[in-house]
Amino acid sequence: TGQVIRRIFLTKIHIMKNCIYGLVRGYDDVSRYQKLIDRNLSISEFVNLNNHDMIIFHEGNISHNHQKYIKLKSKNENIKFIDISDEFILSKESLNAHDELQNKPKPNYNIYLGAKIMFRFYSIRCFDYLKDYDYIMRADEDIVFENKVDCDIFSYMYHHNLILGYGKRKIDSHPLGIT
């Protein structure tokens, strides 16, 4: 009589581990990282990160001093740099399979081979490095966010059972046909 019964429902809270990542070139001159720094600043300004990781994969050619410079100019001390130089070492069998291609006329065989390895990394190998994340977003060094994203993208995807998202508009920073 007049007694209030309260029920407490406990629900499991899913704490997601998410990241924004990209494969980035290393340079001799720190001024060449400006596109990457602009990308990082635009992510910080326009994307609600909620402490999600930012990972920069590189071929072992971004020195520790350059990493510190990028973090400082990006205003983000939590950027993680991962050396994936082993991914760019081809087996003897792979090199032999490409010998025939090397003898065919190509504008620059090294660029062709590097692009092929990069595509393999992005389509297959990167997932080994990112397997502990619930959601991942690829953002190359020439990507710049121009508008505010009003929500946490990863949380939105989780709560709407989405598994894939993609950019709506992209202006290439290089001429068509050259990647």
Side-chain angles (χ1 to χ4, degrees), residues 99-161:
D99 279 348
E100 185 179 323
L101 286 173
Q102 194 170 12
N103 295 325
K104 292 188 177 183
K106 292 240 181 278
N108 185 329
Y109 179 74
N110 290 332
I111 291 174
Y112 169 78
L113 188 58
K116 186 171 184 170
I117 295 169
M118 178 196 67
F119 295 142
R120 180 185 68 189
F121 176 75
Y122 269 138
S123 63
I124 300 169
R125 300 291 302 142
C126 73
F127 301 109
D128 289 339
Y129 294 92
L130 302 169
K131 66 184 174 211
D132 294 330
Y133 290 96
D134 294 301
Y135 286 94
I136 57 176
M137 178 194 301
R138 176 179 163 186
D140 293 339
E141 67 184 292
D142 60 348
I143 298 293
V144 175
F145 289 84
E146 297 176 333
N147 299 307
K148 180 84 174 148
V149 178
D150 293 328
C151 66
D152 178 331
I153 295 168
F154 301 119
S155 181
Y156 181 88
M157 291 183 72
Y158 174 77
H159 290 292
H160 291 86
N161 294 318

Side-chain angles (χ1 to χ4, degrees), residues 4-133:
V4 176
I5 300 173
R6 294 184 180 172
R7 293 185 181 165
I8 300 174
F9 292 96
L10 298 176
T11 58
K12 180 181 174 187
I13 297 174
H14 181 74
I15 299 174
M16 294 187 302
K17 187 175 179 185
N18 308 308
C19 78
I20 296 175
Y21 72 98
L23 175 60
V24 174
R25 294 178 189 93
Y27 301 107
D28 292 331
D29 180 3
V30 292
S31 68
R32 304 236 4 235
Y33 293 111
Q34 193 57 51
K35 278 186 183 179
L36 173 64
I37 292 165
D38 291 343
R39 162 210 179 247
N40 294 345
L41 290 170
S42 77
I43 289 170
S44 296
E45 181 179 354
F46 293 119
V47 181
N48 183 355
L49 288 177
N50 284 343
N51 298 317
H52 302 308
D53 292 339
M54 186 180 292
I55 296 176
I56 295 177
F57 293 111
H58 63 95
E59 298 176 51
N61 55 359
I62 300 180
S63 71
H64 183 67
N65 285 339
H66 285 202
Q67 291 176 24
K68 285 174 31 179
Y69 174 84
I70 293 165
K71 288 179 178 185
L72 176 69
K73 294 296 184 180
S74 299
K75 300 176 184 174
N76 185 343
E77 284 297 315
N78 297 318
I79 297 172
K80 297 177 182 181
F81 290 85
I82 299 177
D83 178 349
I84 59 159
S85 54
D86 288 348
E87 298 294 334
F88 286 80
I89 299 171
L90 291 177
S91 67
K92 193 173 188 175
E93 295 79 27
S94 296
L95 287 173
N96 288 338
H98 292 290
D99 279 348
E100 185 179 323
L101 286 173
Q102 194 170 12
N103 295 325
K104 292 188 177 183
K106 292 240 181 278
N108 185 329
Y109 179 74
N110 290 332
I111 291 174
Y112 169 78
L113 188 58
K116 186 171 184 170
I117 295 169
M118 178 196 67
F119 295 142
R120 180 185 68 189
F121 176 75
Y122 269 138
S123 63
I124 300 169
R125 300 291 302 142
C126 73
F127 301 109
D128 289 339
Y129 294 92
L130 302 169
K131 66 184 174 211
D132 294 330
Y133 290 96

